[in-house]
Amino acid sequence: MQVIHFRRPIGHPKGRPIEAAARECVRALLGAGPLRRDLLIEYLHRLQDAQGSLPVSLLTALAEAMRLAPAEVYEVASFYHHFDVLADGETPPPSLTVRVCESLSCTMNGAGPLLASLREQLGDAVRVQPVPCVGHCDGAPVAVVGQRPVRGASPEAVAALVAQASSSDAALTPSDDNALRRMAARQCPVPAVPGYVQARAAGAYEVLAALHAGTRSRESVFDELERAGLRGLGGAGFLTGRKWRIVAGQTEAPLLVVNADEGEPGTFKDRHYLEQDPHGFLCGVLIAVWAVKAQDCYLYLRDEYAGLRTMLEREIAALRADPPMPAESMPGLHLRRGAGAYICGEESALIESLEGKRGTPRLRPPYVAEAGLFGRPTLVNNVETLFWVPQILARGADWFAGHGRRSRVGLRSFSVSGRVRDPGVKLAPAGISVRELIDEHCGGMAEGHQLYAYLPGGASGGILPAALADLPLDFDTLQPYDCFIGSAAVIVLSQADRARDAAASMMRFFRHESCGQCTPCRVGTAKAEALLEAPEWDGPLIEALSRTMIDASICGLGQAAPNPVRCVIKYFPHEIRASSAEASR
């Protein structure tokens, strides 16, 4: 009789065995109830916050609890930069991480020496790593100790916070939960804002209450926003009233998604508005819900804004407890936490992330207005866009449209950083020039610096020389110069800087942040980064590569990544060849 030998004993499941300790950890932190697929990223955050990292054993136990394939959980966890996935036997990172921003504005203000000094001073007890933009470009250079941002960071200031976090750890006994130790090291200041009750008493939600009382129709709201010229202020610039009308016209009840994942180097205006007037923004959210008859709203906030997350959780809870509208009309408000992926600023990648997946852009059609989150019609709006809605409805379209220069319409919030005396978010008329913006709103150039060049739209908006500093800054005005305004992140360069270095910095960022889904972007950004390191740029080869990326990339990241490089070749040809001293290095 022939004996059949199986490769594994009958009754034993395939794959990696589940460790009992890992299974118990997942059960303790996430509860015993059914786990939802769309909350996978939230669960990963909860596990890492408690454990400090994500060993494969923990991911396997989570996959079992969620009835998912381990590979499915692993691919999501390994996609996002803020998750520390550990292979078998790999040493966990130190309990405290210091992140030093290496984006353009911080690099111009000494991020490189800061990083080197901290690595030397702090040694191996603290993990010190360079990271992309953390959303505080006006405070460059910036380091983040745990989750506490240090603006204008010096080695001494960072070391003092590290010592404070270490003493907090030492004050805990060995029996304390690991989560408490890490929370002590990661405390982040919460913005001091008027609470919900105070804001409501001051009239923050009066416009919303009037709409629910039937003072005007939805069509009149769409018309008012169109007359005001309010556009999508996250970068795309689509007319808000028209977008709302399209979503409201879908047959199925839509959802609202708020993009608060600003990760573009130089951009920090959404953080500014959330810190200054969160209830003005939340009122805009609820007006959008009313206008398109949305059933739920999902607010996707970048992970670096930990203090904002705490504040919004508190204010949203207060709003739910005593809604400023009929209780039956109150939508579900879901605050979701990003995980460090710039690509999730693209609306379809953001929706994939909200569904608990890797943040890879979708092919179109269908557009998200027709089939977005969970396959339902979805309205995606930026924080600043929603912030202006209640003000326009209260003051009238003519008030907003009455601002502007050079035949442009409306107000723009410029995130200004770099070589200016007073960086920050500057509210200015659409169509203002960068020269006027610097002189009228930023106190002029920093001491000893003269305007040499500027990035009008963050990492992807291109680079222009000082000779073009009188161009109107607005949607549709910069395209003839191979640039665009995007989210209005203006980075100012002086004679102390080089445009080619700025372009190389942007390309390193895009290579790091490419989702890897399409070859033109995944390979193109890596090839471009290598080409830009050469002492003399190969212009024809760079142009051919750029054209391939622009024509064939799936989404705007790969399509816009070549913009700064092409601008250097066009406007700064004298920089294409490095100096003899640089070439010899």
Side-chain angles (χ1 to χ4, degrees):
M1 179 178 177
Q2 185 179 6
V3 178
I4 300 176
H5 296 282
F6 292 93
R7 288 187 296 174
R8 57 185 171 85
I10 297 175
H12 287 250
K14 292 191 297 183
R16 177 186 295 272
I18 312 297
E19 296 180 10
R23 181 183 285 123
E24 183 58 34
C25 177
V26 168
R27 183 181 296 113
L29 289 170
L30 303 185
L35 302 180
R36 285 168 40 196
R37 176 66 176 81
D38 63 293
L39 290 174
L40 173 57
I41 294 171
E42 296 293 313
Y43 300 149
L44 291 170
H45 274 303
R46 197 178 304 176
L47 293 176
Q48 176 155 300
D49 286 346
Q51 298 298 309
S53 59
L54 295 173
V56 170
S57 60
L58 208 59
L59 298 181
T60 308
L62 177 61
E64 178 195 52
M66 298 187 70
R67 299 182 180 276
L68 297 173
E72 196 172 356
V73 173
Y74 183 87
E75 73 168 3
V76 172
S78 60
F79 178 85
Y80 295 92
H81 303 313
H82 290 186
F83 293 136
D84 291 315
V85 178
L86 303 181
D88 287 332
E90 185 176 356
T91 302
S95 62
L96 182 63
T97 296
V98 175
R99 297 174 173 87
V100 178
C101 176
E102 62 173 358
S103 69
L104 180 57
S105 298
C106 286
T107 298
M108 291 162 58
N109 284 277
L114 174 65
L115 177 65
S117 177
L118 289 175
R119 281 177 166 166
E120 181 179 355
Q121 288 187 33
L122 300 179
D124 297 332
V126 176
R127 179 172 57 171
V128 180
Q129 60 180 196
V131 295
C133 184
V134 295
H136 289 268
C137 314
D138 52 333
V142 180
V144 183
V145 179
Q147 292 184 336
R148 180 186 290 271
V150 184
R151 295 162 58 88
S154 66
E156 296 75 19
V158 173
L161 272 180
V162 169
Q164 179 183 338
S166 299
S167 64
S168 298
D169 278 355
L172 297 171
T173 66
S175 62
D176 286 309
D177 190 274
N178 285 337
L180 296 178
R181 297 181 68 252
R182 289 183 172 82
M183 286 175 63
R186 297 184 180 202
Q187 289 175 354
C188 184
V190 178
V193 300
Y196 169 67
V197 174
Q198 183 181 352
R200 186 173 175 183
Y205 292 90
E206 286 181 355
V207 174
L208 175 69
L211 292 174
H212 279 277
T215 58
R216 62 193 309 170
S217 68
R218 288 176 171 81
E219 277 298 321
S220 71
V221 169
F222 302 150
D223 291 340
E224 191 84 10
L225 296 179
E226 285 198 53
R227 285 199 309 109
L230 181 65
R231 304 176 70 160
L233 298 173
F238 196 84
L239 280 171
T240 301
R242 187 177 303 170
K243 188 176 188 178
W244 286 20
R245 184 179 278 110
I246 291 171
V247 174
Q250 301 299 311
T251 55
E252 188 179 2
L255 301 171
L256 171 63
V257 169
V258 180
N259 183 354
D261 192 54
E262 57 176 1
E264 182 110 11
T267 306
F268 46 91
K269 62 184 179 64
D270 290 350
R271 171 181 60 81
H272 169 83
Y273 283 111
L274 289 173
E275 288 177 345
Q276 298 299 315
D277 188 4
H279 289 286
F281 156 72
L282 289 171
C283 181
V285 168
L286 294 176
I287 290 173
V289 165
W290 170 86
V292 302
K293 300 181 181 179
Q295 292 183 339
D296 287 276
C297 170
Y298 292 80
L299 171 56
Y300 190 93
L301 183 69
R302 72 177 301 189
D303 193 31
E304 289 84 349
Y305 293 166
L308 278 177
R309 184 171 64 252
T310 300
M311 180 271 290
L312 286 171
E313 287 171 346
R314 180 191 68 208
E315 298 305 311
I316 289 174
L319 192 153
R320 285 196 193 105
D322 183 21
M325 54 200 287
E328 64 274 12
S329 301
M330 185 68 185
L333 294 175
H334 312 279
L335 182 60
R336 296 289 181 85
R337 180 177 173 185
Y342 165 72
I343 189 63
C344 290
E346 196 276 339
E347 63 178 9
S348 65
L350 186 156
I351 285 172
E352 288 286 296
S353 187
L354 282 171
E355 293 180 352
K357 305 172 186 174
R358 299 163 68 245
T360 53
R362 297 176 178 177
L363 294 173
R364 299 177 181 130
Y367 295 95
V368 299
E370 304 163 316
L373 185 60
F374 309 130
R376 293 170 57 180
T378 303
L379 172 65
V380 182
N381 271 144
N382 165 264
V383 168
E384 190 197 354
T385 302
L386 294 169
F387 173 83
W388 286 117
V389 167
Q391 298 200 45
I392 290 172
L393 296 183
R395 303 185 188 190
D398 293 340
W399 164 77
F400 189 80
H403 296 85
R405 296 182 186 178
R406 301 177 179 88
S407 302
R408 310 308 299 175
V409 172
L411 291 165
R412 297 288 177 267
S413 300
F414 295 92
S415 304
V416 185
S417 62
R419 308 293 190 182
V420 295
R421 193 180 301 273
D422 180 25
V425 174
K426 310 298 178 181
L427 184 61
I432 194 172
S433 70
V434 76
R435 196 184 308 278
E436 293 167 336
L437 185 65
I438 293 169
D439 292 341
E440 298 175 21
H441 296 270
C442 301
M445 294 291 293
E447 187 70 29
H449 293 269
Q450 293 85 44
L451 180 63
Y452 173 65
Y454 65 102
L455 286 72
S460 55
I463 307 175
L464 292 171
L468 296 177
D470 296 312
L471 295 176
L473 297 176
D474 198 17
F475 297 107
D476 312 319
T477 61
L478 301 177
Q479 279 84 341
Y481 303 90
D482 298 321
C483 292
F484 59 86
I485 192 173
S487 59
V490 178
I491 305 175
V492 179
L493 310 183
S494 77
Q495 79 280 5
D497 310 302
R498 295 191 311 173
R500 69 174 279 160
D501 292 338
S505 174
M506 298 298 101
M507 190 57 71
R508 284 193 297 272
F509 171 79
F510 286 125
R511 192 268 306 161
H512 182 267
E513 295 298 327
S514 172
C515 75
Q517 179 179 197
C518 66
T519 302
C521 178
R522 181 186 67 252
V523 177
T525 52
K527 294 292 186 183
E529 182 185 12
L531 289 173
L532 300 187
E533 292 175 355
E536 183 174 358
W537 288 3
D538 187 334
L541 181 58
I542 291 174
E543 177 58 27
L545 176 61
S546 299
R547 179 48 56 190
T548 299
M549 294 172 65
I550 293 168
D551 291 344
S553 294
I554 289 176
C555 80
L557 190 152
Q559 294 164 10
N563 288 346
V565 180
R566 301 178 81 206
C567 284
V568 172
I569 295 173
K570 180 176 181 178
Y571 296 114
F572 304 89
H574 58 284
E575 292 194 19
I576 300 306
R577 179 187 291 273
S579 66
S580 56
E582 292 170 322
S584 65
R585 288 203 293 266

